[in-house]
Amino acid sequence: MANDILLIASVLTALGVIVTTAMRVYKFIRKWEKWVEEQSEHALDNYLSIKRLTIMSHEMPLSERIAAGEKYIKYGGNGEVKHKVEELLNFLPKEDFKNENQH
């Protein structure tokens, strides 16, 4: 009878350790997932910020500004910068025509 009680106690202790370990692993994985999601959001924000600066910079060539604008819109950028991209796209044919006449 004493051996049976010790066996049951050992099994319950082992189950407790397994459940506790599983919960800690689960919590760690959830924290890791949240951290990765935050890093992805920050990376996208930084990417869009760089594209926004490229689009708005008058020193950059028009072709680079338009390419940055296409990527900016593709990854969810909108608002005034999107309108600026559309304005640049309207300006592109005039610029191309002007460059062809200079040669």
Side-chain angles (χ1 to χ4, degrees):
M1 180 83 170
N3 287 338
D4 291 337
I5 293 174
L6 288 175
L7 179 63
I8 292 172
S10 298
V11 169
L12 291 176
T13 302
L15 287 175
V17 169
I18 291 170
V19 169
T20 302
T21 303
M23 288 177 58
R24 286 184 179 174
V25 168
Y26 174 78
K27 287 180 182 179
F28 173 78
I29 290 172
R30 289 298 302 149
K31 282 183 182 180
W32 182 261
E33 286 176 343
K34 287 179 183 179
W35 182 83
V36 168
E37 288 173 7
E38 286 178 7
Q39 296 307 310
S40 295
E41 286 179 24
H42 292 301
L44 180 60
D45 288 345
N46 288 337
Y47 182 77
L48 290 176
S49 294
I50 291 168
K51 295 302 172 195
R52 189 178 312 113
L53 290 172
T54 303
I55 294 164
M56 301 307 285
S57 175
H58 297 287
E59 291 82 26
M60 297 295 286
L62 185 59
S63 60
E64 287 188 36
R65 293 171 72 190
I66 290 173
E70 290 171 351
K71 291 177 183 175
Y72 181 82
I73 293 169
K74 177 182 176 182
Y75 288 102
N78 58 29
E80 291 184 36
V81 178
K82 183 177 179 180
H83 294 297
K84 182 67 175 179
V85 171
E86 292 168 354
E87 179 184 310
L88 291 173
L89 288 172
N90 290 332
F91 184 69
L92 181 62
K94 296 175 190 173
E95 184 72 21
D96 284 345
F97 181 72
K98 193 185 301 183
N99 288 339
E100 288 177 5
N101 287 337
Q102 290 178 354
H103 295 288

